[in-house]
Amino acid sequence: MLSVIIGGIVLLGVFALFGKLWGGDISGVAAAMKAFIPVWLMIAIINLWVGVTRADYTVFRELPILVVVFSVPAMIAAVVAWRVVKA
């Protein structure tokens, strides 16, 4: 679980970098953070699917993991986007 969360934070950094490069300014980073959240949700759902189909966990056992795996990087993205827009 920790490695998936760290992977999400790394992916968030990649999104921020490309947002800065393609956007030309800090508003591109905010747009990248907003784009990251649905992408990360899809990746977290795929992680849930892998846990259910490959590791033989039930959906109810995987749901709390989905919440944690999705929430940590998504909250960081939301805070960064909010700070950028606020600044």
Side-chain angles (χ1 to χ4, degrees):
M1 185 165 72
L2 183 60
S3 62
V4 176
I5 292 171
I6 291 170
I9 294 170
V10 169
L11 183 62
L12 177 64
V14 170
F15 266 70
L17 176 64
F18 281 118
K20 175 72 171 140
L21 292 175
W22 286 337
D25 61 355
I26 203 73
S27 66
V29 174
M33 296 300 101
K34 292 175 187 174
F36 167 79
I37 293 175
V39 170
W40 184 243
L41 178 61
M42 292 304 293
I43 293 170
I45 290 171
I46 291 169
N47 183 55
L48 175 132
W49 176 75
V50 169
V52 170
T53 59
R54 305 273 188 221
D56 292 329
Y57 290 123
T58 65
V59 173
F60 291 112
R61 286 183 66 192
E62 278 289 320
L63 279 176
I65 296 170
L66 169 73
V67 170
V68 172
V69 163
F70 172 71
S71 296
V72 173
M75 283 192 285
I76 293 171
V79 167
V80 169
W82 177 68
R83 291 286 218 162
V84 167
V85 169
K86 188 178 175 184

